[in-house]
Amino acid sequence: QVQLVESGGGLVQPGGSLRLSCAASGSIASASAMGWYRQAPGKQRELVATITSAGTTNYADSVKGRFTVSRDNAKNTMYLQMNSLKPEDTAVYYCCFRWALNIYWGQGTQVTVSS
């Protein structure tokens, strides 16, 4: 079973920045797809950003221009750089990887944007 460990969440003021990390126990270079989701209380989980093994990225309209997803294959780690944070970005953020037909989720990390 692949283990995904998330870190980097916390409390930040509007306009601030955070960088989330997701470290995998397996080789992310072998993953077919990976990305970040978020879920706010009372809301459905939504896709935030994805990156393929080929390096293609996609973003939700709500975060375009503010968030950047990247990965470091040598460290088996995926990142989400979040800039110009807004209160509506407040949510639990989850990383997700797919290896072949199997999907793995991180434990989630809380991001709170508030004055």
Side-chain angles (χ1 to χ4, degrees), residues 2-74:
V2 172
Q3 300 270 68
L4 304 179
V5 180
E6 299 183 37
S7 61
L11 175 64
V12 65
Q13 294 187 48
S17 298
L18 286 173
R19 189 190 193 195
L20 306 184
S21 298
C22 181
S25 61
S27 174
I28 68 170
S30 300
S32 57
M34 60 203 80
W36 294 90
Y37 292 74
R38 67 185 182 187
Q39 187 168 26
K43 302 288 187 179
Q44 295 191 41
R45 185 173 297 186
E46 66 172 341
L47 182 64
V48 175
T50 62
I51 183 168
T52 68
S53 296
T56 301
T57 58
N58 289 101
Y59 300 91
D61 288 341
S62 59
V63 307
K64 283 182 179 177
R66 301 187 298 118
F67 290 13
T68 303
V69 61
S70 62
R71 69 179 192 273
D72 186 334
N73 288 349

Side-chain angles (χ1 to χ4, degrees), residues 90-108:
T90 296
V92 177
Y93 284 71
Y94 300 89
C95 61
C96 179
F97 287 72
R98 177 188 287 273
W99 278 271
L101 299 179
N102 299 314
I103 300 173
Y104 303 90
W105 293 91
Q107 82 280 6

